[in-house]
Amino acid sequence: MRSELPSTVRVQELQRKLYKKAKAEPKFRFYSLYDKTYRMDVLVHAFRRVKANGGTGGIDGKTCADVEAAGLPEYLEELQREMKERRYKPQPVKRVYIPKASGKKRPLGIPTVRDRIVQTAFLTVLDPIFEADFSAMSFGFRPKKNAHDAIREIYKYLNWGCLEVYDVDIEKYFETVNHSKLMKLLALRITDGQILHVIRQWLSCGYVEDGQHLQSKSGTPQGGVISPLLANIYLNPVDQAFKRRDIDSRRNGSIHIVRYGDDIVILAQRNLDVGIVLLEHYLERLGLCLNRKKTRRLRMDKGKSVDFLGFRFLHTINRKTKKRLMLVYPSPRSQQRCRGKVRILLHHRIPLSTKKQIKNLNEFLRGWVGYFRLGNASETFHDLAHFIERRVRRQIQRRKGKGGYGWYRIGCERIYGELGLFNDYRVCRI
């Protein structure tokens, strides 16, 4: 391998050609792809993406820094030989748990760096092929689409008068994906046997928890690089069913589906039952079940609201025009989680200086505000700013052993001047 890493231009050219071919021939099945996944430029591109994403090591404990320290060119050349000679075999993922908003814990699978590189190489080749088939109403884990696009789409339909809403929650989606049905959906576009064989290995390699290797007969591990693509492929038949039935026209009730991963909402002016029946029919065919406790149907009358991706849509009346007005702002649960994170970052028992604590706080707030500044979040930001200022004031008083508003102003002005707390609180139009 050359000492100078190859450019990503060739990788982009490969992706562009695959996308154009898939878009031009919707029924074409790609039969020779595996040799493209172990091209050196693809592997280098994959490593760069894995390194940029960060993350911890898998069951072997190795990180990207360890790989580079041992010699990246030699590492990638050995991995290329394994893939070329078809000796590559994935290792089980490391099972960890992360807290959910409901208080429960979500299982997360962390592959090794080696497996993440190969998965990213596969994603580089497969993503443009399936991207050509995905619906415009699917916004999750796709290039040039994000959560804000989904929020804008829902906001648009609500303002059009699609006030009948079906808020969908799929029961343990990532844990109940049927492997056989997923492989059949992959085979509609891919006939390369080695590609399908490796993906099957990823699905069935299992996980390690408390030192025990356990097998997984269904589901895709959350945390895997290729899992979001597989999740979109599995739910794509639902999107295509709504597209084929042509139920989004006004004469049929203007029924629309908006999906971000496994988060789904259906909006309609009328005949919402048609969309509900269609959705539940295809979910049943895919072997998925609705969480009836969290799935709900409602009409967005005055004072009614629905939450999606951390945002709340609230129906109210414009005081001047007396017309319908849809407000979009961070949901109460999102605000509560933000306050909880602030309390943790500014806890008086954390062995950090006040300056370092507020620097960490700023990093969190930039990300939080950058996501939630869409819509009508000014009042929310104003309330949170007062809450955070009180926490900072209390922290400075504890650390300095002094009280009073004058000391608070002196300390805060110095810290805010250096780190710019609250400077990025600007709301953008939806």
Side-chain angles (χ1 to χ4, degrees), residues 182-312:
L182 175 58
M183 296 306 297
K184 289 179 181 179
L185 291 172
L186 284 165
L188 293 176
R189 271 299 199 176
I190 309 296
T191 60
D192 190 318
Q194 188 62 19
I195 289 279
L196 298 176
H197 174 68
V198 173
I199 293 177
R200 170 71 79 171
Q201 285 185 314
W202 283 327
L203 293 173
S204 59
C205 66
Y207 57 93
V208 174
E209 183 177 6
D210 296 331
Q212 293 185 341
H213 180 198
L214 304 174
Q215 293 294 332
S216 51
K217 297 182 179 179
S218 64
T220 59
Q222 287 181 270
V225 178
I226 205 169
S227 294
L229 174 63
L230 299 180
N232 277 332
I233 292 172
Y234 199 68
L235 283 176
N236 189 48
V238 177
D239 304 333
Q240 297 303 324
F242 276 77
K243 184 178 179 180
R244 286 195 306 270
R245 289 289 296 271
D246 190 30
I247 57 178
D248 58 347
S249 60
R250 283 185 177 273
R251 67 176 183 274
N252 293 328
S254 190
I255 306 171
H256 306 271
I257 184 172
V258 177
R259 183 173 68 83
Y260 189 93
D262 61 327
D263 294 310
I264 302 174
V265 64
I266 302 176
L267 307 102
Q269 289 184 338
R270 53 187 174 83
N271 298 336
L272 179 61
D273 289 324
V274 175
I276 293 175
V277 170
L278 186 62
L279 172 72
E280 294 185 353
H281 170 70
Y282 274 87
L283 290 183
E284 184 180 356
R285 289 183 59 181
L286 292 171
L288 301 172
C289 299
L290 293 179
N291 185 337
R292 296 294 177 181
K293 293 182 179 180
K294 295 183 179 179
T295 300
R296 64 184 185 128
R297 176 179 181 170
L298 71 153
R299 179 173 177 80
M300 291 286 286
D301 296 320
K302 180 182 176 182
K304 294 293 183 65
S305 63
V306 63
D307 295 347
F308 191 75
L309 299 180
F311 287 86
R312 169 157 290 187

Side-chain angles (χ1 to χ4, degrees), residues 142-146 149:
R142 295 180 59 190
K144 299 182 181 180
K145 288 183 179 288
N146 54 39
D149 295 328

Side-chain angles (χ1 to χ4, degrees), residues 102-122:
S102 61
K104 298 180 180 179
K105 292 187 176 181
R106 185 193 306 276
L108 193 70
I110 303 177
T112 62
V113 170
R114 175 171 163 274
D115 290 335
R116 276 183 289 195
I117 294 172
V118 180
Q119 286 189 19
T120 306
F122 270 56

